[in-house]
Amino acid sequence: MTHVVTDSCIRCKYTDCVEACPVDCFHEGPDHLVINPDECIDCAVCIPECPVDAIYADSDVPAEMARFHELNTKGAQRWPLILKHKEALHDAERWKEATGKLGTLDPQPATPS
């Protein structure tokens, strides 16, 4: 089992979870973070650190967010590791409570498809 970053991280990119991770499995994209499923050890310490509840065990990902399994895998292959806490995106507070944010991603070559 691994963990998956889902919709709530998009347009926020809070990084509280990154420093909690003992195996450095988070990768940083332009609008959100992803977890490398090949590196995640299923320790779950990142889950309570996420202020927007974006992280789920892979078996608990809501059905409407199933696509995030693939998005995490592809993002982890393309994006750099993030090892330290960074400030959230400048308008994170505005997006914090929003849902259905996958369609708001900017079409960039680095964005997983």
Side-chain angles (χ1 to χ4, degrees):
M1 185 183 305
T2 185
H3 287 79
V4 178
V5 178
T6 61
D7 189 70
S8 296
C9 189
I10 295 173
R11 299 273 188 189
C12 293
K13 199 161 68 170
Y14 291 102
T15 60
D16 305 65
C17 52
V18 171
E19 288 189 340
C21 181
V23 294
D24 302 331
C25 66
F26 283 90
H27 291 256
E28 181 182 18
D31 298 294
H32 63 288
L33 303 177
V34 296
I35 292 175
N36 183 335
D38 295 330
E39 298 296 326
C40 180
I41 60 170
D42 190 32
C43 67
V45 298
C46 58
I47 293 174
E49 298 301 319
C50 181
V52 293
D53 300 321
I55 305 171
Y56 292 85
D58 65 354
S59 60
D60 295 335
V61 173
E64 66 273 11
M65 294 186 203
R67 183 161 182 232
F68 282 91
H69 289 277
E70 176 186 2
L71 293 175
N72 276 248
T73 300
K74 287 185 176 184
Q77 293 168 355
R78 296 178 181 170
W79 296 336
L81 274 172
I82 178 171
L83 303 173
K84 300 266 185 212
H85 180 271
K86 294 182 178 182
E87 291 300 314
L89 295 178
H90 72 282
D91 59 349
E93 281 298 312
R94 179 180 145 219
W95 289 96
K96 189 175 184 176
E97 307 273 332
T99 59
K101 296 188 281 184
L102 187 57
T104 70
L105 291 175
D106 293 329
Q108 300 175 23
T111 303
S113 54

